[in-house]
Amino acid sequence: MKVAVLFILSCLVWVGMVKPSFPEQEKNPAFWYELAQRSIKNALNYQDLNKNIAKNLILFLGDGMGVPTVTAARILKGQLNGQSGEEAQLEMDKFPYVALSKTYNTNAQVPDSAGTATAFLCGVKANEGTVGVSAASVRSQCNTTQGNEVTSILRWAKEAGKSVGIVTTTRVNHATPSAAYAHSVDRDWYSDGDMPSEALQGGCKDIARQLFENIPDIDVIMGGGRRNMYPKNISDVEYPTENKHNGTRKDGRNLLAEWIDGVKDKRGMYVWNKKDLLSLNPNNVDYLLGLFEPADLAYELERNKDMDPSLTEMVDVAIKILRKNERGFYLLVEGGRIDHGHHEGKAKQALHEAVEMDRAITRAGLLTSDYDTLTVVTADHSHVFSFGGYTPRGNSIFGW
């Protein structure tokens, strides 16, 4: 009884404290009429279709970035800029076209990032937990791999003479990026140390190995995942005393050393920290591998800003390297930790990740032109995330 009374009283106090907060100009109907007219004029301008052939394609993938996440991120962006938030615009809000996508795996009503990545990168819906293979492949069954491989747009772009790149806030061999280059019946086979002996004996390759072997000369690769490139128990360059970050490979191969050796005469560079990345002259680099953490990159709110680059900073460097190709480029950019924030029930982390991806989209727009570059922003699936209630205008998106 005491709890109920206290709750009711607290609600009454909260309601009493609510004060409408919105710009004075919004009280005038003319404000809304003029806004509507501008919106109509902008829409009519898009009737003159851009019939140019896109030389470049940038695909931004917000992992787990469903519609409620987009709405909440928009409000957060506005509030971070001192606004009440609801009237703010994400960069994608300014795009001329919008659509909804149907998300499911061939064997799952609620999809995962592996099967969906196969769908949007390879054009083929697939089973949950598998990357770069058709639905004829069965998760974790190595002998269902051969003959069921499907190719990705990254490979198609490379074969067309374009430069190609992958930038992610997860590890570079995580589900979403791996569908661009790998064929694996298990998304969790990050290195051979994660694979069962029967899979290795069956001839299946781990995803880290496929990153360097399946599509030679991916021009730009940035994200996390260092530990899957080193032999087992080799210490990490950044965390030499933390055993959990040691190498995981059982085959004794050092994929980083092999990559560095392979590009030594092709203006290739490997970097593992922000300082080295931002000190590069993109005009002098044709191949770039940047691995900034042993596994996934830190959340944007927890990022060591002296050591680790932001998604925006990685995208900036990637585009400056890739755009040198006269035939154009293809770039996959994943805001992968939006998904992780939601998985952990951390709305603040997830939404700040989404706002950072918005900054990266903005930066990409400044470095490219609509006349020759097609930019697509999408998500692979949504999450059990929503917000509601009768909250006042300007209420903190993280508040009651």
Side-chain angles (χ1 to χ4, degrees), residues 100-154:
L100 294 174
S101 52
K102 191 188 297 183
T103 59
Y104 62 94
N105 293 149
T106 48
N107 65 339
Q109 187 175 68
V110 178
D112 82 321
S113 297
T116 51
T118 304
F120 61 74
L121 293 176
C122 307
V124 176
K125 279 196 179 289
N127 289 327
E128 182 180 16
T130 65
V131 291
V133 290
S134 72
S137 293
V138 180
R139 184 170 189 176
S140 301
Q141 293 187 18
C142 173
N143 62 359
T144 65
T145 307
Q146 191 170 2
N148 296 320
E149 300 92 340
V150 291
T151 55
S152 77
I153 189 171
L154 185 140

Side-chain angles (χ1 to χ4, degrees), residues 3-281:
V3 173
V5 170
L6 288 172
F7 176 73
I8 292 170
L9 288 174
S10 65
C11 287
L12 290 172
V13 170
W14 179 79
V15 171
M17 293 172 63
V18 172
K19 294 181 180 179
S21 175
F22 53 88
E24 191 69 20
Q25 60 188 358
E26 292 185 8
K27 296 179 180 179
N28 187 342
F31 169 82
W32 300 106
Y33 297 151
E34 292 169 6
L35 180 62
Q37 288 296 316
R38 287 200 303 271
S39 299
I40 291 171
K41 288 178 180 178
N42 288 336
L44 288 173
N45 286 336
Y46 288 127
Q47 299 304 309
D48 296 326
L49 298 179
N50 181 351
K51 296 181 179 179
N52 294 340
I53 297 175
K55 182 173 73 171
N56 311 312
L57 170 61
I58 306 175
L59 175 59
F60 281 94
L61 190 285
D63 200 311
M65 190 182 68
V67 173
T69 300
V70 172
T71 304
R74 180 186 302 115
I75 294 172
L76 174 59
K77 177 183 179 180
Q79 292 180 348
L80 290 172
N81 291 329
Q83 302 169 282
S84 64
E86 299 80 7
E87 70 287 350
Q89 272 194 316
L90 293 169
E91 195 65 24
M92 73 177 84
D93 294 332
K94 304 172 187 177
F95 284 20
Y97 304 105
V98 64
L100 294 174
S101 52
K102 191 188 297 183
T103 59
Y104 62 94
N105 293 149
T106 48
N107 65 339
Q109 187 175 68
V110 178
D112 82 321
S113 297
T116 51
T118 304
F120 61 74
L121 293 176
C122 307
V124 176
K125 279 196 179 289
N127 289 327
E128 182 180 16
T130 65
V131 291
V133 290
S134 72
S137 293
V138 180
R139 184 170 189 176
S140 301
Q141 293 187 18
C142 173
N143 62 359
T144 65
T145 307
Q146 191 170 2
N148 296 320
E149 300 92 340
V150 291
T151 55
S152 77
I153 189 171
L154 185 140
R155 180 185 288 275
W156 300 332
K158 191 67 179 178
E159 291 175 350
K162 297 181 183 294
S163 294
V164 296
I166 296 170
V167 174
T168 178
T169 52
T170 66
R171 63 202 81 179
V172 294
N173 49 345
H174 209 262
T176 297
S178 64
Y181 58 82
H183 311 290
S184 178
V185 292
D186 199 313
R187 60 177 286 177
D188 295 328
W189 289 353
Y190 298 119
S191 81
D192 64 334
D194 300 308
M195 297 175 65
S197 57
E198 56 267 27
L200 293 171
Q201 292 166 5
C204 283
K205 298 179 181 180
D206 64 90
I207 296 172
R209 180 180 169 188
Q210 292 188 56
L211 171 61
F212 300 110
E213 293 183 359
N214 284 9
I215 304 180
D217 298 337
I218 296 178
D219 302 84
V220 174
I221 305 167
M222 281 191 276
R226 282 196 303 258
R227 68 185 182 193
N228 301 131
M229 314 299 171
Y230 293 133
K232 197 170 182 63
N233 296 326
I234 295 295
S235 298
D236 183 74
V237 63
E238 188 174 0
Y239 310 100
T241 62
E242 298 184 38
N243 292 337
K244 66 179 180 179
H245 296 314
N246 288 354
T248 63
R249 303 199 63 80
K250 292 181 178 179
D251 58 9
R253 293 180 62 178
N254 186 327
L255 299 180
L256 287 181
E258 292 178 20
W259 185 90
I260 292 169
D261 185 64
V263 299
K264 63 184 178 182
D265 298 323
K266 297 191 292 186
R267 303 208 308 174
M269 289 292 298
Y270 166 65
V271 294
W272 62 269
N273 60 70
K274 175 180 175 177
K275 179 182 177 181
D276 288 348
L277 174 69
L278 299 187
S279 65
L280 293 176
N281 182 344

Side-chain angles (χ1 to χ4, degrees), residues 168-171 223-224 238-239 292-305 308-311 314 336-338 340 349 353 356:
T168 178
T169 52
T170 66
R171 63 202 81 179
E238 188 174 0
Y239 310 100
F292 304 104
E293 284 291 333
D296 302 319
L297 302 190
Y299 286 117
E300 177 62 21
L301 285 177
E302 300 172 0
R303 177 171 62 90
N304 183 332
K305 295 183 179 179
D308 298 330
S310 67
L311 181 62
M314 290 191 290
R337 304 224 65 194
I338 300 170
H340 293 173
Q349 300 288 16
E353 292 296 308
E356 173 56 28

Side-chain angles (χ1 to χ4, degrees), residues 7 10-11 14 18 387-400:
F7 176 73
S10 65
C11 287
W14 179 79
V18 172
F387 63 100
Y390 295 107
T391 49
R393 175 85 175 267
N395 189 70
S396 169
I397 196 61
F398 301 121
W400 290 101

